[in-house]
């Protein structure tokens, strides 16, 4: 950031570009510190009133600027770009710039990741490569020549097809690429390096053979197979589900070690964080296998939802991200357990998205005002965006949704469009009025849905009242009623569905579009329990007074597995929160005997259910996270919540010790395989192990040790370390040292080790963290390392981070100051735990505020941190 304060851009100010670029040739002469880029574009004026051509450019050295081959002098240069004054109506523009990839620690634009040159242009990184209208509605065709030293960089890659190559003097060589599709510059990519190459192919539904290439660091070839398999699954799923076929002859994926996010969908040349590519059974967990499949699919799906049809402006980001997350979630549900998937997606919404709504950074899925676009790659845009698409899917049905998708591509292939265009296609294809529904795009915040049910025995009638209200958020005071699909099921006392709803079904989606809706439902018997918001049919909080018995009934009998899990969690939450709220000062966080008994009984029920799906069973036995519990209270009571959680875990561990042991033994697996059955068994086994260690560390130490020694996979290895994490420090340290010896040369595995260290409950945690920052495997410039060590502490080590002496806050702020100079995007993500300070007690509020003020007073604060800090400090 310069000396000027960053300013915000607004959606209402959108205007189409004045000039279009009909083609672009890029010539790269790669060099560590002095890379030359020659950009030659054909420019054409489309707004006759325009008098200037605006080109974005940041951190560039301008070497040459020519129009039609003649040096151009009528231009103005600033820190953010160039304005060319009174250019001709149509002309060839040649710009030569010099850039410094090796010193680009922001990992945006062209940079070096270990020995590899690579690019990251989304959202606004292309302007760090050359002067160009860096906006997604300027689409053009690219031809790219890359030249570099041949021995160090045998592979020179860019988008599309390779159309030429040759050798040069001094051991250099060149390759020329051509992308036949129009694209915005954020989808441009270049990679140069030396790799192991895995090759495969995919025959599309129309019989075209596509070459698949996966580039990984030398020596990692054996860890690329799962990613390639996942890619082929995604390609055929998209053909079968949406009739979408791949459109180039080649699809390349490169794995790099230094990457700000998960992966990037550059046309024909995805660049991935190596964390979402590399896996083998010894070093990757079940979760890693799952994530790789889902991220590979996500980026592949972008080829249609993002690349073929792209965003008009960055306010429309959810057009591609919400939709693509929805598609990858659908895919994952088809590949593995739909219920477990749904549960995990809902956890993300409740733990992180609801928190964002409650924070100073609250925004609708289509933001209206942005200072730094990188700050809007959020759980709101991505995950709430996917929930909004999921509601459309629910409203229109599978076939109706497909009709809408078909019409969307028919109308908009090759265009840069808006969220409204998408919803219009859905509405028109189904002759529906979605105007109220569209408010989900412009309104921020978490709606509260209240449910009230009364049964009239004489009339045999159920009166159901659904009402909604969305509390004000930091960005928006006044809220309107939304279109909320509420999926409900009526259960009788035997747990059977009562077929009293529309079409004689036991469940139905009720469309709530007004503040309050009253329904009279003819119902032969009084429902023993009503399950509301089946499948989490809308991203809302529900308020519905139900007894413990009713929740337990839903938990055992609802037809929807998500609802069963949810009822169980509500039961747990309720008793934990009661313990926090109703305890006297000297028994903070102690659950009453009655509560403990109730919970024990319900856990016992889950443990002895022989019909239940094992994955669901494991999920139901897991205690809600601190973050989930914190989201349910107005004021986060750190000590009380931690104690209550501990109290109940400890009680359940001891009371059900026999069962944990039995289930532990019953869930052993053979040689590692990544399949649903074994994944569920390992999950169950490791949950049991954790309870056993909690119940009696000494009695089960051998069991844990044995599992650690015998494990042939990372899930079981980590299961032991996690179970022992809060136990006796010496034993844990011993295992951790062994682990470190074994894995010190595998950075992705060491991230798990750093994360475990950062999450440890110990009084000397901050001095430990300082030591770990000096560890040979740590680097402050590598985002994966930073997230593992600093991120895990800030987000998950409640005890250390929220220490009442303020030391955690101060330490994190020190790290943010250091990081902001190197990589503002990463710094701006790690500040999240400080943003919601108003929700803590007064002492903590003051402590956090002081740290935010420290950041605000920094010289040269990045626009990324500036936006978040300044919004947080507004009263
Ligand atoms: N479009 C990418 C995705 O969703 C996100 C992404 C990758 C990104 N790298 C980025 C966003 C850097 C901002 C900055 O898959
Ligand atoms: Zn995406």
């Amino acid at each position: 950031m310069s000396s000027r304060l960053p300013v915000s851009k607004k959606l209402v100010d959108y205007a189409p570009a004045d000039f279009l670029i009909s083609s672009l040739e890029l010539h790269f002469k790669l060099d560590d510190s002095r890379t030359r880029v020659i950009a030659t574009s054909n420019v054409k004026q489309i707004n006759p009133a325009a008098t200037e051509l605006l080109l974005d450019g940041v951190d560039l050295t301008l070497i040459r600027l020519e129009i039609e081959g003649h040096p151009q002098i009528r231009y103005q240069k600033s820190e953010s770009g160039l304005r060319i004054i009174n250019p001709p109506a149509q002309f060839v523009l040649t710009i030569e710039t010099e850039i410094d990839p090796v010193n680009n620690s922001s990992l945006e634009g062209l940079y070096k990741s270990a020995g590899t040159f690579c690019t990251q242009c989304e959202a606004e990184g292309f302007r760090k490569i050359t002067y160009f209208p860096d906006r997604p509605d300027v689409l053009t065709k690219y031809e790219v020549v890359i030249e570099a030293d041949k021995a160090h960089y045998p592979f020179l890659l860019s988008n599309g097809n390779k159309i030429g190559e040759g050798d040069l003097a001094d051991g250099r060589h060149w390759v020329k690429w051509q992308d036949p599709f129009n694209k915005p510059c954020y989808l441009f990519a270049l990679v140069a390096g030396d790799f192991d190459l895995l090759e495969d192919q995919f025959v599309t539904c129309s019989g075209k053979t596509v070459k698949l290439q996966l580039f990984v660091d030398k020596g990692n070839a054996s860890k690329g197979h799962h990613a390639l398999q996942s890619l082929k699954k995604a390609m055929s799923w998209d053909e079968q589900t949406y009739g979408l076929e791949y459109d180039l002859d080649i699809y390349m994926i490169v794995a790099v070690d230094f990457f700000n996010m998960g992966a990037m969908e550059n046309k024909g040349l995805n660049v991935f964080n190596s964390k979402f590519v590399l896996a083998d059974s010894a070093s990757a967990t079940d979760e890693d296998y799952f994530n790789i499949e889902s991220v590979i699919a996500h980026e592949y799906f972008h080829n249609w939802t993002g690349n073929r049809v792209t965003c008009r402006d960055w306010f429309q980001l959810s057009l591609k991200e919400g939709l693509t997350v929805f598609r990858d979630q659908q895919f994952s549900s088809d590949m593995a357990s739909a219920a477990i998937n749904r549960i995990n997606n809902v956890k993300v919404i409740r733990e992180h998205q609801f928190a964002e709504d409650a924070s100073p950074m609250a925004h609708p899925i289509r933001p209206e005002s942005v200072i730094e676009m990188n700050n809007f790659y959020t759980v709101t845009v991505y995950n709430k965006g996917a929930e909004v698409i999921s509601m459309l899917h629910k409203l229109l049905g599978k076939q109706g949704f497909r009709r809408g998708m078909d019409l969307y591509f028919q109308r908009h292939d090759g265009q840069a469009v808006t969220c409204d265009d998408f919803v219009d296609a859905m509405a028109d294809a189904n002759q529906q009025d979605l105007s109220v529904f569209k408010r989900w795009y412009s309104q921020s915040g978490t709606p509260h849905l209240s449910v009230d049910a009364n049964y009239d025995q004489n009339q045999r009638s159920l009166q159901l009242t659904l009402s909604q209200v969305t509390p004000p958020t930091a960005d928006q005071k006044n809220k309107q009623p939304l279109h909320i699909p509420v999926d409900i099921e009526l259960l009788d006392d035997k747990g059977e569905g009562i077929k009293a709803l529309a079409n004689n079904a036991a469940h139905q989606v009720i469309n709530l579009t007004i503040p309050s809706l009253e329904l009279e439902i003819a119902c032969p018997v009084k429902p023993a329990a009503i399950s509301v918001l089946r499948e989490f049919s809308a991203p809302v909080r529900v308020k519905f007074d139900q007894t413990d018995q009713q929740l337990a009934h839903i938990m055992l009998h609802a037809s929807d597995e998500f609802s069963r899990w949810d009822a169980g969690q509500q039961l747990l939450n309720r008793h934990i929160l009661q313990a926090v709220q109703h305890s006297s000062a000297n028994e903070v966080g102690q659950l009453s005997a009655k509560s403990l008994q109730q919970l024990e009984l319900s856990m016992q029920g889950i443990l002895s259910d022989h019909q239940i799906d094992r994955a669901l069973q494991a999920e139901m036995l897991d205690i809600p996270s601190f973050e989930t519990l914190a989201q349910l209270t107005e004021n986060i009571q750190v000590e009380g919540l931690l104690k209550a959680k501990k109290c109940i875990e400890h009680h359940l561990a001891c009371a059900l010790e026999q069962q944990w042991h039995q289930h532990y033994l019953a869930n052993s697996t053979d040689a590692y395989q990544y399949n649903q059955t074994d994944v569920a068994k390992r999950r169950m086994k490791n949950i049991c192990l954790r309870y056993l260690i909690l119940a009696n560390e000494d009695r089960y130490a051998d069991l844990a040790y044995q599992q650690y020694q015998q494990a042939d996979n990372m899930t079981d290895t980590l299961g032991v370390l996690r179970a022992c994490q809060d136990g006796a420090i010496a034993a844990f340290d011993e295992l951790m040292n062994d682990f470190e010896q074994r894995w010190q040369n595998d950075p992705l595995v060491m991230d798990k080790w750093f994360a475990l260290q950062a999450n440890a409950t110990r009084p000397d945690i901050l001095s430990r963290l300082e030591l770990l920052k000096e560890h040979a495997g740590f680097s402050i410039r590598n985002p994966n390392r930073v997230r593992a060590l600093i991120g895990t502490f800030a987000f998950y080590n409640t005890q250390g981070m929220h220490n009442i002496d303020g030391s955690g806050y101060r330490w994190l702020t020190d790290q943010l100051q250091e990081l902001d100079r190197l990589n503002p995007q990463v710094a701006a993500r790690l500040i999240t735990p400080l943003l919601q300070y108003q929700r803590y007690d007064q002492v903590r509020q003051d402590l956090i505020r002081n740290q935010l003020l420290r950041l605000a007073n920094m010289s040269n604060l990045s626009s990324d941190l500036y936006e978040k800090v300044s919004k947080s400090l507004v009263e």
Side-chain angles (χ1 to χ4, degrees), residues 353-360 362 446 473 541 631 836 838-839:
Q353 202 281 320
F354 287 179
E356 191 158 76
D357 279 339
S359 84
T446 310
T473 49
R541 293 181 196 265
Q631 280 312 310
Q836 267 205 77
Q838 291 93 337
R839 307 191 55 230

Side-chain angles (χ1 to χ4, degrees), residues 108 120 122-123 186 259-265 298-299 302 320-321 374 377 382 825:
E108 191 182 53
Q120 172 55 42
E122 188 176 7
Y186 83 86
F259 203 70
N260 280 346
M261 305 268 286
M264 180 63 212
E265 70 265 24
H298 178 98
E299 305 311 330
H302 267 316
K320 73 177 177 82
E321 296 304 346
N374 285 327
Y377 288 75
Y382 274 61
Q825 261 186 69

Side-chain angles (χ1 to χ4, degrees), residues 120-306:
Q120 172 55 42
C121 295
E122 188 176 7
E124 297 176 331
F126 194 74
R127 63 188 63 187
K128 292 185 163 185
I129 293 175
T130 186
Y131 289 102
F132 195 75
D134 188 358
R135 42 188 289 169
D137 60 347
V138 173
L139 311 183
T140 190
K141 287 199 171 63
Y142 285 65
E143 268 191 21
V144 179
V145 176
I146 309 166
E147 54 169 274
D149 180 79
K150 192 169 183 174
H152 286 99
Y153 311 102
F155 294 99
L156 305 177
L157 314 174
S158 191
N159 319 81
N161 304 306
K162 193 195 270 189
I163 56 167
E165 58 192 312
D167 288 332
L168 297 163
D170 302 333
R172 290 172 74 86
H173 70 144
W174 64 273
V175 175
K176 185 171 189 176
W177 293 85
Q178 183 181 54
D179 183 351
F181 290 94
N182 266 319
K183 66 167 174 289
C185 64
Y186 83 86
L187 291 173
F188 164 77
L190 171 156
V191 171
D194 194 4
F195 304 99
D196 274 350
L197 169 59
L198 277 89
E199 285 193 289
D200 204 333
Q201 61 174 47
F202 179 82
V203 182
T204 70
C205 49
S206 71
K208 191 174 78 183
T209 300
V210 180
K211 187 197 276 193
L212 312 178
Q213 293 189 319
L214 178 65
F215 298 86
V216 298
D217 278 356
K218 288 248 161 209
N220 278 337
S222 64
K223 293 188 181 177
H225 300 293
H226 177 63
L228 264 183
Q229 286 309 113
S230 302
L231 175 60
K232 289 189 283 181
K233 284 184 187 167
M235 293 177 89
S236 82
W237 184 89
D238 218 13
E239 291 182 347
Q240 277 156 25
T241 315
Y242 290 106
L244 297 173
E245 186 183 357
Y246 186 61
D247 54 10
L248 282 165
D249 298 330
I250 177 168
Y251 194 88
M252 296 175 280
I253 295 176
V254 184
V256 300
D257 292 330
F258 288 67
F259 203 70
N260 280 346
M261 305 268 286
M264 180 63 212
E265 70 265 24
N266 317 302
K267 184 78 187 187
L269 177 57
N270 290 180
V271 177
F272 269 63
N273 185 329
S274 54
K275 173 183 163 72
F276 295 113
V277 172
L278 302 175
D280 65 17
S281 54
S283 67
T285 61
D286 292 334
E287 196 187 345
D288 292 328
Y289 274 88
F290 176 90
N291 290 340
I292 288 168
E293 187 176 87
S294 117
V295 178
I296 290 266
H298 178 98
E299 305 311 330
Y300 175 73
F301 297 154
H302 267 316
N303 191 54
W304 278 95
T305 50

Side-chain angles (χ1 to χ4, degrees), residues 302-436:
H302 267 316
N303 191 54
W304 278 95
T305 50
N307 302 4
R308 288 289 288 255
V309 184
T310 196
C311 303
R312 185 192 74 174
D313 54 74
W314 288 121
F315 300 103
Q316 317 295 329
L317 179 61
S318 204
L319 172 82
K320 73 177 177 82
E321 296 304 346
L323 179 54
T324 304
V325 171
F326 171 76
R327 274 150 54 65
D328 83 53
Q329 292 177 349
Q330 267 192 317
F331 167 77
S332 295
S333 295
D334 286 351
M335 295 299 118
S337 161
I340 299 303
N341 245 316
R342 192 68 191 127
I343 290 168
N344 285 323
N345 297 336
V346 174
K347 282 186 189 169
V348 171
I349 295 286
R350 287 183 176 157
E351 287 177 16
H352 303 290
Q353 202 281 320
F354 287 179
E356 191 158 76
D357 279 339
S359 84
M361 278 295 290
H363 55 277
I365 64 169
R366 182 185 55 212
E368 281 163 13
S369 164
V370 164
I371 292 177
E372 171 53 62
M373 190 53 214
N374 285 327
N375 282 340
F376 289 83
Y377 288 75
T378 59
V379 276
T380 298
V381 169
Y382 274 61
N383 300 76
K384 184 180 177 183
E387 292 300 321
V388 170
I389 303 292
S390 170
M391 286 188 282
L392 277 175
H393 189 271
K394 193 138 198 150
L395 293 174
L396 304 173
K398 197 178 163 190
Q399 286 168 7
F401 187 80
R402 172 66 195 269
R403 276 196 297 278
M405 288 289 275
D406 289 349
L407 183 60
Y408 174 63
F409 292 119
Q410 194 185 312
R411 282 183 180 171
H412 300 299
D413 187 12
Q415 300 175 1
V417 306
T418 63
C419 297
D420 277 336
D421 292 326
F422 178 81
V423 182
D424 288 344
M426 285 286 156
D428 294 349
N430 294 281
Q431 287 105 46
Q432 290 240 1
D433 178 5
L434 294 173
S435 49
V436 175

